[in-house]
Amino acid sequence: MQYSQLYIPTLKEKPAEAEVISHQLMLRAGYIRKLTSGIYSFLPLGVRSLRKMEAIIREEMNRAGAQEVLLPALQPAELWQESGRWEKYGKELFRVRDRHNHDYCLGPTHEEVITDLLRHEIRSYRQLPINLYQIQTKFRDEIRPRFGLMRGREFVMKDGYSFDRDEGGAGKTYQKMFDAYQRIFARCGLRFKAVEADSGAIGGSYSHEFMVLAESGEDAILACAACSYAANVERAESLDRFQAGPTEGLKAKEKIYTPGQRTVEEVTRFLSIPPQSLVKTLIYQTERGPAAVLVRGDQEVNETKLAKALDCQELILAEALKVQELTGAPVGFAGAVGLSLPLWADQTLEGLKNFVMGANEADNHWINLNWGTDMPQPQWADLRLVQAGEPCPRCQSALEAYRGIEVGHVFKLGDKYSRSMKATYLDEEGREQFMVMGCFGIGVGRTVAAAIEQNHDRDGIIWPMALAPFQVLITPIEWKPGTETQQSALAFYEELERSGIEVLLDDREERPGIKFKDADLIGIPLRVTIGPKGLAEGIVEVRERRSGQVIKVPKDQLVRKIREKVSEALKS
Ligand code: ATP
Ligand code: MG
């Protein structure tokens, strides 16, 4: 392709609305344009990178035995009512009504549609397992669309769904998909981790998220330095249990005047105690009513774990007025003594003796409190956020903190949808059984953006070879008809194309400085610079975008050298 024939509208200025680097660079380098909040157009370079990503996904999915389908984006409300998600999915679901007043939604995901398809097709165990996927535009009315392609309201996803006879079969499919995902993200040249995750609203029992490691990532991850344990912080299990000193006896509780001392820091300083001796009481509101949640002074509540323990969908920290109403005291003085709310406590607190809590009275705290004697035994659960440095739940080495961008997600769904939508088959004995499902997503656009988060410098994008819109850019430093520079550039261009290399020729009549700047910005991995001086010596220069390293290559070896470098970079 020739540069002059391709629409690459690069921008000089940093776009003000873009908070993260991938978003800035995709706008600046002319890959995408915004239509409106969370909705983007792909320009020619953007489409090429997106298609590359899709091709890798297709190859690996097909190789793993999945088959491509294309399901409708417009879905009748009835299916969602059947699964119970018409209500549950909430405001993220784009709902539309047709001229006959029938309700539809724009698919944010396709469990309902695929389950409906297969319940009408599959009769016998002989037809299972089956694993289908599609690459398609999804719609989600995200509460906060942001970061360009990372969190859009319309975006391209690969979503796959598997149907097995039983748990054993579903486990094997899950493993196959897990392995395929490892290959997909490795082929993209990304640094990533597969982490244990919470299954969230889709439901199901077990899941892994694939996280591209990047500082700008929305997700916090803890990973073991020694073994392969890695988990989303939302899910990371805590190993710590409180171990009381054996000699400590129970003391009698005593109310202490603590004027204006509300925060953990203030109270512990005022009473000269360590934060481990203070129990924080947090009042949460849920659709099932309020609850008091107790965690150690130096620890934080993990709301995902808490929602699971309380078995609720909605969970918010009560506002000051509500806290006052429920505890009788302003925020900062809540405690469990005499409180008539369900009590939930983090398991780290079990065995703690003679601790401190708010007294449900302004400017007062209790000291020397004990479970059972001074308040009822709470319900114990793992409710807190695990922190870096804590022991790994598998091997007890230290956990390390990372940030990541979730690019893929593999779930075991079990019979959640096959049961609610009655997708059954007849087993070998002629008995009716529910199919056991899995579902497997990849954010296609999000992965492309994540690749930029991980691969850029101050001058622009540095594409991994596999996702680059072109593998090689030829930059003649002048473009005048009849010159040797132009003729050689054209000759190399044709020869590289013939040998299967994806090559872009910068045929613009621009100064070399401008061409080089644009080249760095759009991020093609290899640049061949051609000028009269080199040609006179029989050489051209090959520059690697990532290292900036330049090598001089004899003209007649250029094609071989480029092919070598491209195939080396595509190996993974
Ligand atoms: P998140 O927690 O980021 O909202 P999710 O759990 O809602 O993600 P899934 O329903 O598992 O996401 O969707 C599968 C994949 O689709 C995700 O792993 C992610 O890569 C991608 N994805 C999800 N939401 C968006 C979005 N709004 N924009 C772009 N990609 C998305
Ligand atoms: Mg989401």
Side-chain angles (χ1 to χ4, degrees):
M1 193 65 101
Q2 305 202 8
Y3 207 118
S4 63
Q5 308 299 306
L6 202 60
Y7 184 54
I8 312 178
T10 57
L11 309 173
K12 284 215 178 61
E13 302 301 321
K14 182 177 131 189
E17 84 259 28
E19 294 169 65
V20 294
I21 192 75
S22 60
H23 188 195
Q24 284 170 22
L25 289 175
M26 290 190 98
L27 289 168
R28 271 189 62 207
Y31 281 75
I32 59 170
R33 285 293 182 264
K34 177 169 155 180
L35 176 63
T36 183
S37 169
I39 306 184
Y40 289 84
S41 304
F42 283 82
L43 304 185
L45 287 183
V47 171
R48 288 184 71 101
S49 286
L50 192 76
R51 296 282 179 255
K52 286 262 178 106
M53 181 69 216
E54 293 176 356
I56 293 172
I57 294 172
R58 269 197 185 92
E59 273 176 40
E60 294 300 337
M61 292 308 289
N62 295 347
R63 179 138 79 115
Q67 302 171 60
E68 186 167 2
V69 292
L70 187 55
L71 304 170
L74 200 54
Q75 309 179 6
E78 286 76 24
L79 285 183
W80 285 72
Q81 282 153 356
E82 223 183 307
S83 72
R85 286 206 296 184
W86 185 254
E87 299 302 327
K88 264 205 179 145
Y89 213 92
K91 293 193 172 154
E92 217 173 280
L93 196 62
F94 273 108
R95 297 161 207 252
V96 290
R97 190 162 280 179
D98 73 6
R99 63 174 79 205
H100 307 294
N101 263 338
H102 292 148
D103 286 321
Y104 290 78
C105 68
L106 295 174
T109 173
H110 279 67
E111 284 81 7
E112 281 80 359
V113 171
I114 196 94
T115 308
D116 179 63
L117 179 74
L118 289 194
R119 70 178 165 182
H120 292 118
E121 302 294 326
I122 304 294
R123 292 275 162 264
S124 151
Y125 69 93
R126 284 188 211 88
Q127 293 165 281
L128 297 175
I130 186 159
N131 188 354
L132 303 174
Y133 76 97
Q134 62 172 343
I135 297 176
Q136 191 220 30
T137 300
K138 295 284 186 278
F139 301 87
R140 295 185 181 181
D141 199 358
E142 296 277 354
I143 186 164
R144 260 201 301 159
R146 57 181 186 162
F147 302 161
L149 300 186
M150 293 271 191
R151 188 169 293 285
R153 297 198 296 161
E154 172 177 328
F155 58 96
V156 179
M157 195 202 283
K158 188 286 292 185
D159 49 328
Y161 307 88
S162 64
F163 295 78
D164 276 88
R165 297 179 196 176
D166 49 31
E167 278 298 330
K172 280 190 197 131
T173 304
Y174 186 89
Q175 190 59 45
K176 266 192 206 159
M177 290 295 103
F178 186 93
D179 295 343
Y181 275 40
Q182 298 271 12
R183 286 196 299 273
I184 289 169
F185 297 116
R187 278 184 62 182
C188 292
L190 298 170
R191 274 175 289 119
F192 67 97
K193 277 187 188 295
V195 309
E196 289 182 12
D198 189 75
S199 330
I202 291 200
S205 43
Y206 192 66
S207 81
H208 280 92
E209 286 167 349
F210 284 76
M211 296 279 188
V212 167
L213 303 178
E215 271 313 305
S216 60
E218 286 184 321
D219 289 272
I221 302 165
L222 289 170
C224 179
C227 76
S228 64
Y229 179 79
N232 195 313
V233 161
E234 288 176 353
R235 159 145 182 144
E237 299 155 41
S238 110
L239 200 66
D240 271 0
R241 300 270 159 118
F242 181 79
Q243 275 148 19
T247 56
E248 203 176 357
L250 302 189
K251 298 182 187 162
K253 75 173 193 286
E254 193 182 331
K255 199 185 280 179
I256 303 279
Y257 182 56
T258 50
Q261 312 295 312
R262 294 159 191 275
T263 64
V264 171
E265 221 197 340
E266 288 164 355
V267 177
T268 53
R269 193 167 352 102
F270 189 81
L271 296 174
S272 300
I273 52 163
Q276 290 86 339
S277 302
L278 178 78
V279 174
K280 288 193 276 195
T281 306
L282 300 156
I283 310 296
Y284 276 92
Q285 286 183 277
T286 77
E287 79 273 12
R288 308 166 71 112
V293 179
L294 314 176
V295 288
R296 220 167 69 184
D298 59 335
Q299 298 181 338
E300 301 301 328
V301 173
N302 179 331
E303 294 188 349
T304 308
K305 289 181 183 174
L306 180 61
K308 222 175 232 165
L310 297 179
D311 189 22
C312 67
Q313 301 287 331
E314 280 159 39
L315 186 73
I316 49 162
L317 211 47
E319 298 193 349
L321 272 177
K322 194 77 194 169
V323 172
Q324 176 101 38
E325 180 194 319
L326 291 167
T327 68
V331 171
F333 299 97
V337 179
L339 195 64
S340 54
L341 291 178
L343 286 185
W344 285 84
D346 179 64
Q347 63 192 19
T348 326
L349 295 171
E350 205 171 351
L352 185 65
K353 294 177 188 171
N354 304 325
F355 50 87
V356 174
M357 264 185 166
N360 294 332
E361 199 181 312
D363 298 335
N364 280 283
H365 279 80
W366 287 110
I367 64 165
N368 296 334
L369 290 175
N370 289 288
W371 308 117
T373 45
D374 302 314
M375 70 201 81
Q377 285 287 345
Q379 310 205 55
W380 302 106
D382 178 3
L383 297 178
R384 69 185 187 87
L385 280 175
V386 176
Q387 290 160 359
E390 289 192 30
C392 165
R394 298 284 150 72
C395 77
Q396 318 212 353
S397 301
L399 292 173
E400 292 176 349
Y402 297 86
R403 295 210 66 88
I405 301 166
E406 180 201 320
V407 288
H409 204 165
V410 289
F411 291 93
K412 273 188 188 168
L413 282 175
D415 63 4
K416 180 173 155 69
Y417 293 91
S418 49
R419 192 176 280 272
S420 60
M421 298 183 64
K422 300 188 188 54
T424 60
Y425 70 95
L426 296 177
D427 70 11
E428 278 143 299
E429 270 91 52
R431 287 174 313 205
E432 198 171 14
Q433 306 278 5
F434 291 115
M435 298 184 230
V436 182
M437 291 173 60
C439 79
F440 313 100
I442 293 180
V444 184
R446 189 186 281 187
T447 308
V448 170
I452 299 177
E453 287 297 323
Q454 215 175 57
N455 298 282
H456 65 268
D457 62 14
R458 52 200 293 237
D459 298 318
I461 302 170
I462 306 175
W463 283 113
M465 188 63 80
L467 297 181
F470 293 92
Q471 296 163 333
V472 180
L473 173 66
I474 297 179
T475 309
I477 63 166
E478 58 180 8
W479 192 252
K480 291 202 193 79
T483 55
E484 196 194 348
T485 306
Q486 189 188 56
Q487 273 164 9
S488 304
L490 279 169
F492 286 133
Y493 169 65
E494 278 158 20
E495 209 180 336
L496 283 168
E497 277 220 316
R498 266 202 308 278
S499 68
I501 299 292
E502 295 158 359
V503 49
L504 179 64
L505 170 64
D506 193 345
D507 60 345
R508 295 175 301 166
E509 287 177 52
E510 291 283 4
R511 283 183 290 116
I514 288 181
K515 290 186 172 186
F516 294 155
K517 253 196 151 50
D518 282 340
D520 282 350
L521 180 61
I522 66 178
I524 313 296
L526 297 171
R527 191 184 82 201
V528 179
T529 317
I530 300 177
K533 222 173 108 215
L535 287 176
E537 296 166 23
I539 56 140
V540 290
E541 287 182 352
V542 176
R543 178 177 183 270
E544 275 183 16
R545 172 68 182 90
R546 188 175 299 275
S547 62
Q549 196 187 42
V550 176
I551 52 168
K552 293 184 188 324
V553 179
K555 279 194 313 188
D556 56 349
Q557 285 174 37
L558 178 71
V559 174
R560 188 180 57 81
K561 194 79 204 162
I562 293 284
R563 287 180 63 169
E564 242 172 57
K565 279 184 170 290
V566 170
S567 61
E568 182 61 29
L570 287 177
K571 247 189 243 152
S572 60

